[in-house]
Amino acid sequence: MTGRVCIVGSGPAGLYAADALARKGEGLRIDVLDRLPTPFGLVRAGVAPDHQGTKAIVRQFDRTLSRPGVRFLGNVGVGRDVSLEDLRRAYDAVILATGAPEDRRLGIPGEDRPGVYGSGAFVGWYNGHPDHADLTPRLPGPAVAVIGHGNVALDIARVLAKTPAEMAAGDLGALAAAAIAAAPLTDIHLIGRRGPVEASFTPAELGELGTLERAAPVVDPADLPDAVGPLADESARPVKEKTLSILKDFAARPDAASAPVRIHLWFHRAPGAVLPGPDGGAGTLRLARTHMEDGRAVVTDETHDLAVGTVVSAIGYRATALDGAPLDEGRGLVANTDGAAAPGLFVVGWAKRGPSGVIPTNRSDSMAVAARVLAWLADHGPGHPGPDALDALLADRGVRPVSLEDWRRIDAAEVARGAAIGRPREKFTTIPEMLAVVEGMPAARRERASES
């Protein structure tokens, strides 16, 4: 089969789609674009820095980008350097794999105070994402609140709670590591609107909280049911029972309350307001008790306050609006029907279904959409100029894409920086630094050249 396909986004969803297309569509030319010079999306910038085993999947994705007919073009932003309409004119099919990069808002008074952050920004900060590298979050201590009971919330709590020695084997950036180590934290509050059975974190992630060197999980036994009870989806029972067992083990630990750092798991609490401290920033988080009705958390009039200097909201994400790809505003994703957004325009991953699942969840999803793309190409045939048209357009606009070999130079430089301080890598956190490696010039000179 011949044809020319452009995939916008080089995270797991986009690269699983590229792999499926390359395997089944022999003869296809597939361009994978990313607005950053670096590929791999949330594997690089979202997976916790102490989960190096999870990050190892990039080796598989690197093989995908190395396949014949597949090309990586980094530092090419859709909406910045090219439009979606440009791509649709150039390619037989376009796949959006742009994820859901915007934090969902809490919708409560005080959430715009200094010291209140979305998890996308906070995680991006400690993972060295260029969009958030200069966040410098307020961590005055002694308490932090993390709102949400998913794996992202657990990641944030764990990264904040671990000692520098525990984090040494990961790729936490040097600046973030220093800021976290200097923060005088004694209490981390993980807050969920629903109960233990409804929490969405996985047992493996939850269990890690019980293995930390200086931190211990604190659970009120009164918050835990005796058993899981009826479930709408009985296939989830083994996971829910394991989660409840872990929480009961945490609740039974006699010395948890005296640990140097305590990770409190609060259930049936909803955030109501962030009240100011003396400097106007976050000082108190007001919580309301909830109870479950028909699977929903219903807020009551019973409230209590937590003194916290930092609040991180980990309640989910939304896709970003892109001209030519309307959003389903209610769901926060690109409007689509089973991955088809418009004739010749498709969508995969979180931009398609919302921010759910783990990295491998994207594989079956992307394979299904790739099959739809192949069917589209079979019915409509090739007829667009593809990569040649994009190359001419970028050259005319003075845009120099970062190639796969360019990325490998950046990668090697980061690994060398990390080796010098005993870590797997030390990331470059600005695009000029990355491009300086590609072009073989000092970062400061590269930045001056980019401004001229």
Side-chain angles (χ1 to χ4, degrees), residues 218-355:
V218 178
V219 178
D220 184 349
D223 278 342
L224 304 180
D226 292 333
V228 168
L231 294 173
D233 179 7
E234 279 296 321
S235 67
R237 182 167 296 278
V239 171
K240 298 300 184 181
E241 289 181 342
K242 179 65 173 174
T243 296
L244 184 57
S245 174
I246 293 169
L247 289 169
K248 287 182 175 181
D249 174 69
F250 289 169
R253 296 188 178 193
D255 300 326
S258 61
V261 177
R262 296 167 292 276
I263 304 173
H264 306 265
L265 287 110
W266 297 88
F267 298 96
H268 298 296
R269 267 79 169 182
V274 181
L275 306 177
D279 63 354
T284 301
L285 178 63
R286 177 154 294 165
L287 300 174
R289 285 285 291 190
T290 69
H291 65 270
M292 298 301 295
E293 287 185 9
D294 299 324
R296 297 182 302 108
V298 178
V299 176
T300 70
D301 293 332
E302 180 185 344
T303 65
H304 68 103
D305 293 345
L306 290 176
V308 294
T310 308
V311 177
V312 183
S313 170
I315 60 170
Y317 310 100
R318 295 174 54 86
T320 299
L322 188 66
D323 284 346
L327 282 186
D328 179 333
E329 291 290 348
R331 301 174 65 195
L333 46 79
V334 176
N336 72 94
T337 302
D338 295 330
L345 179 65
F346 303 86
V347 57
V348 295
W350 283 8
K352 167 183 174 280
R353 68 179 191 277

Side-chain angles (χ1 to χ4, degrees), residues 132-432:
H132 307 293
D134 60 353
L135 185 68
T136 58
R138 288 164 33 114
L139 293 168
V144 170
V146 183
I147 299 171
H149 274 176
N151 283 348
V152 173
L154 293 183
D155 284 345
I156 293 167
R158 192 183 63 254
V159 168
L160 290 175
K162 277 190 169 183
T163 65
E166 287 177 291
M167 291 300 297
D171 61 351
L172 180 66
L175 292 178
I180 292 170
L185 300 180
T186 59
D187 292 275
I188 300 168
H189 301 277
L190 280 165
I191 298 158
R193 297 172 60 93
R194 301 183 297 170
V197 173
E198 294 83 18
S200 57
F201 38 62
T202 58
E205 291 264 359
L206 179 63
E208 283 188 74
L209 296 187
T211 66
L212 305 182
E213 182 179 312
R214 65 173 178 174
V218 178
V219 178
D220 184 349
D223 278 342
L224 304 180
D226 292 333
V228 168
L231 294 173
D233 179 7
E234 279 296 321
S235 67
R237 182 167 296 278
V239 171
K240 298 300 184 181
E241 289 181 342
K242 179 65 173 174
T243 296
L244 184 57
S245 174
I246 293 169
L247 289 169
K248 287 182 175 181
D249 174 69
F250 289 169
R253 296 188 178 193
D255 300 326
S258 61
V261 177
R262 296 167 292 276
I263 304 173
H264 306 265
L265 287 110
W266 297 88
F267 298 96
H268 298 296
R269 267 79 169 182
V274 181
L275 306 177
D279 63 354
T284 301
L285 178 63
R286 177 154 294 165
L287 300 174
R289 285 285 291 190
T290 69
H291 65 270
M292 298 301 295
E293 287 185 9
D294 299 324
R296 297 182 302 108
V298 178
V299 176
T300 70
D301 293 332
E302 180 185 344
T303 65
H304 68 103
D305 293 345
L306 290 176
V308 294
T310 308
V311 177
V312 183
S313 170
I315 60 170
Y317 310 100
R318 295 174 54 86
T320 299
L322 188 66
D323 284 346
L327 282 186
D328 179 333
E329 291 290 348
R331 301 174 65 195
L333 46 79
V334 176
N336 72 94
T337 302
D338 295 330
L345 179 65
F346 303 86
V347 57
V348 295
W350 283 8
K352 167 183 174 280
R353 68 179 191 277
S356 62
V358 292
I359 291 171
T361 307
N362 291 290
R363 185 171 184 272
S364 58
D365 179 75
S366 293
M367 289 177 67
V369 175
R372 297 201 68 172
V373 173
L374 291 171
W376 166 267
L377 294 174
D379 288 344
H380 294 82
H384 293 74
D388 293 340
L390 178 62
D391 291 350
L393 189 64
L394 294 176
D396 184 60
R397 295 175 181 175
V399 179
R400 193 276 206 195
V402 170
S403 69
L404 183 61
E405 289 307 313
D406 292 334
W407 150 243
R408 287 174 175 159
R409 292 180 65 187
I410 297 169
D411 180 42
E414 290 185 341
V415 170
R417 280 158 47 100
I421 57 174
R423 294 180 181 271
R425 74 173 59 239
E426 175 67 15
K427 294 175 186 170
F428 296 110
T429 60
T430 71
I431 290 175

Side-chain angles (χ1 to χ4, degrees), residues 11-25:
L15 292 177
Y16 279 130
D19 189 67
L21 290 170
R23 288 176 183 273
K24 301 220 174 151

Side-chain angles (χ1 to χ4, degrees), residues 95-106:
I95 303 175
L96 299 178
T98 47
E102 295 184 10
D103 283 299
R104 288 187 180 272
R105 291 179 61 81
L106 288 167

Side-chain angles (χ1 to χ4, degrees), residues 67-85:
R67 282 183 170 277
V70 178
R71 188 173 63 147
F72 174 67
L73 294 93
N75 204 35
V76 177
V78 177
R80 181 187 70 198
D81 303 309
V82 295
S83 68
L84 180 56
E85 186 58 33

